[in-house]
Amino acid sequence: MSIPSLASARKPWFARLPVVSHLRMSSGLQRGMLIAGLVLSVLFIVSALFAPLIAPFDFAQSSDMSGDFPRQSAPDDKFIWGTTVTGYDVFSRTMYGARTAIWVIIAAVLMSLFIGVLLGLISGYLGGWFDRIMVVLADAIYAFPSLLLAIVMSIVISQGQSSLWGGIMAAAISITVVFIPQYFRVVRAEVMRLKAEPFVESAQVIGSSPWRVMFTHLLRNATRTLPLIFTLNATEALLTLAGLGFLGFGIEPTAASEWGFDLNRAMSDATSGIWWTGLFPGLAIVLTVMGLTLVGESMNDLNDPRLRRFSRKKAQRITQAGVTR
Amino acid sequence: MTITSQTGTTPSPTPARKPAKQKGGGFLRYLITRFLLIIPTVFILITVVFFLMRVTGDPITAAMGGRLTPDQLAIRIHEAGYDRPVFIQYIEYLGQVFSGNLGRTMSDNRAVTEVLVTYGAATLELAINAVIVALAVGIPLGLVAAKFRDRYPDAVLRILAILSYATPVFFAGLLLKLIFGVWLGWLPISGRADWQTELALTGLQNPSGIYWLDALRSGNMAALGDVTAHALLPALALGLLTGGVFLRLVRTNAIGTLGREYVEAGRSRGVSEFRLVTKHAYRPALIPIITVMGLQIAMLLGGAVLTETTFEWAGLGFKLAEYLTARDFVAVQGIVVVLAIIVAVTNFIVDILAALIDPRVRY
């Protein structure tokens, strides 16, 4: 992840962490974008972690000691973002929605990373008929509209509706199937390239087993670009989850709060001018995806020296350092 | 599909050099090879979808499960042949698909092919409208961003492009509906036309189903206005979001071409900056766009499902969502298979176009 250079080896460990080192490298607009992305991402993670503390009510709570909540009431002091048609508090549901989203993202990305990298390694290193079948299969799935595939998968897994964990796993597995080809392609291409390198050949010559070559020699070299795909896929997972939820293929509203499903319910509210039920979950999706995308994009640009921009001061320092050395 | 992979995998936008004496068979061979490659793709997708849908049970139990007694269910299942071995059903299904028979829907008992023809036109219309909006927005703004690279217009446009990626089409639709439909009251918020217009247009002799085309042919100007008003918001919602992808693509490629020697040569001859951007840098930057268009069609169809549901636009996506809710998996399977075929064929056409424009693409 970090740029290998002599200077970076002397820096303290925290300065070499991926995001921190990127932050130190950046300047101007690039730094602004990275920071904006980090702020949004942290906001998302905080509301996911501390949803029960932030939200005044439960996500499926429609009454309290003082009686039933009003239905479709506009934002006021008690319900700062208003209430839905079933009397749920929009603010609480939006906060808890981050929780559902983060579980799905983690599950989907981990599963597709694990399976995709494994298949890519084996397929790329061993080659032969297995490789050929995998490539055709991956290409076929890759060309297919991902949302449709996710719909088919969620029918298979849960026949549509389901409980909290069932729903989260169904959404995550649906998304995983869509992502595996992407990881597979990237890793396979890298392995194909690395296979011809001298260090792999020397490992083969001294009699390392194929598994050893794959997992000690190839794996770490082939997975350098993955953190970038990771951020982009996290956003894709979130958008697919919201799309599934919007089509009514998500998690039941009483089992968990999900932004896409809430937007589906908000469509009919919009016709009568009720904006708060849709605006807030929608903004939550947009800001979260934007945050993650900004982080991923900035890291991508900063990793590429041709796209990296220095501030004038820093550029001067670098030139001077070059002159004095 | 990720953002960077689109810009990363495009071939470099250098103008094609004329190959020295292209052999006659080169292109034809590529065409045939590429065409044959569709077959495994479509075959795999049909197979995967078939087995996935059957893993969970038969369509009759899914659709009628709660409404019929187990005995009645068993009779219906036996009549439809769903109690036979899955492999035999699969062979039979393949045969049916290749003879153009996709079965009958469970919920409203129509031929799936008829559903596809009736609602396919609406989806096609939406897709065309959205692509027009996307190109009209994406290309000029992409050129502006390339011209002002790393200055504030570029920064603003980059943020806009990320925003367009981050916004789900149904949220954009909701906002457009609220602003232009409910608050300003300028545009209708759902459907493809008023019922009077709908009646007038479906009453035509062999209607194409694409409403603005039908309205134009019949010379019905009131209908044309009505249809346009209805089409505007869905086209904007889907088009603006797709336009962000085109913007990034044009920007990256135009930056590449703007830095080339022939542009510099043009500048030294006194060609105006405007002409340099719109003529010299623009043309070669178009080639990768055509390639990516193919991938966009797949994304557009996914987006169309959501857009149609948002605006109650009676197309394939809208029907698909309806059948999904009704647990009508015969219909779902049919629509999904046909969409897969459309995507595969579009990718084929796009690859051929790319090869015609840029000979280096050929194998």
Side-chain angles (χ1 to χ4, degrees), chain A:
Chain A
M1 209 51 248
S2 61
I3 306 299
S5 71
L6 282 175
S8 73
R10 284 200 304 273
K11 283 181 187 159
W13 63 272
F14 61 85
R16 277 179 279 142
L17 288 176
V19 173
V20 180
S21 74
H22 287 102
L23 202 57
R24 291 169 67 101
M25 247 189 266
S26 61
S27 68
L29 181 67
Q30 268 184 348
R31 175 171 278 183
M33 280 169 73
L34 181 56
I35 290 175
L38 284 175
V39 167
L40 289 174
S41 307
V42 167
L43 211 64
F44 167 61
I45 293 169
V46 164
S47 37
L49 285 179
F50 302 109
L53 299 178
I54 302 169
F57 308 105
D58 198 44
F59 57 83
Q61 184 182 350
S62 56
S63 63
D64 62 1
M65 308 288 259
S66 58
D68 283 355
F69 292 165
R71 289 167 182 226
Q72 294 183 319
S73 86
D76 56 27
D77 290 342
K78 187 175 176 191
F79 306 103
I80 54 170
W81 288 353
T83 60
T84 68
V85 67
T86 36
Y88 298 145
D89 176 43
V90 176
F91 178 66
S92 307
R93 280 193 75 80
T94 309
M95 289 301 130
Y96 273 101
R99 212 161 226 226
T100 315
I102 215 163
W103 278 121
V104 171
I105 290 177
I106 292 174
V109 173
L110 280 185
M111 282 192 289
S112 46
L113 197 67
F114 187 74
I115 303 174
V117 169
L118 189 71
L119 289 177
L121 265 180
I122 298 175
S123 183
Y125 185 66
L126 298 182
W129 58 269
F130 180 74
D131 184 44
R132 257 177 244 149
I133 291 174
M134 288 309 297
V135 168
V136 173
L137 206 62
D139 278 355
I141 292 175
Y142 188 71
F144 199 57
S146 57
L147 185 67
L148 292 185
L149 194 62
I151 289 172
V152 172
M153 282 312 294
S154 72
I155 292 177
V156 173
I157 294 161
S158 61
Q159 299 273 310
Q161 296 274 323
S162 52
S163 61
L164 170 61
W165 287 105
I168 287 180
M169 283 322 280
I173 293 174
S174 317
I175 296 161
T176 302
V177 174
V178 179
F179 285 165
I180 288 175
Q182 294 185 18
Y183 287 100
F184 170 80
R185 284 177 149 205
V186 173
V187 173
R188 180 179 168 276
E190 274 294 293
V191 169
M192 298 286 268
R193 188 178 66 78
L194 289 167
K195 209 159 73 167
E197 296 276 323
F199 71 88
V200 176
E201 263 174 44
S202 40
Q204 288 165 338
V205 166
I206 61 170
S208 309
S209 71
W211 292 101
R212 193 181 159 77
V213 175
M214 272 192 267
F215 288 100
T216 50
H217 299 275
L218 289 175
L219 181 65
R220 299 196 53 182
N221 286 299
T223 48
R224 259 157 207 270
T225 47
L226 289 189
L228 296 170
I229 310 178
F230 172 87
T231 49
L232 288 167
N233 276 359
T235 63
E236 198 100 338
L238 184 55
L239 289 174
T240 312
L241 172 71
L244 281 177
F246 180 73
L247 290 175
F249 262 69
I251 300 153
E252 289 209 42
T254 47
S257 161
E258 203 274 307
W259 294 331
F261 185 84
D262 287 0
L263 270 165
N264 174 11
R265 286 299 144 98
M267 284 327 285
S268 50
D269 295 346
T271 324
S272 41
I274 294 169
W275 50 271
W276 55 88
T277 52
L279 182 71
F280 295 111
L283 276 182
I285 299 175
V286 173
L287 292 180
T288 308
V289 175
M290 254 194 110
L292 293 172
T293 313
L294 282 172
V295 172
E297 292 252 306
S298 311
M299 280 171 41
N300 185 32
D301 286 3
L302 290 167
N303 278 350
D304 187 340
R306 288 168 303 172
L307 294 173
R308 204 182 305 152
R309 300 266 168 259
F310 292 114
S311 65
R312 204 165 291 163
K313 226 165 83 188
K314 197 165 179 182
Q316 221 165 33
R317 209 164 58 223
I318 292 170
T319 353
Q320 275 169 358
V323 169
T324 49
R325 197 175 287 162

Side-chain angles (χ1 to χ4, degrees), chain A residues 143-144 156 235-236 297 309, chain B residues 1 56 150 165 248 310 340 343:
Chain A
F144 199 57
V156 173
T235 63
E236 198 100 338
E297 292 252 306
R309 300 266 168 259
Chain B
M1 138 137 299
T56 49
D150 289 330
Y165 164 76
R248 300 174 65 103
T310 311
V343 170

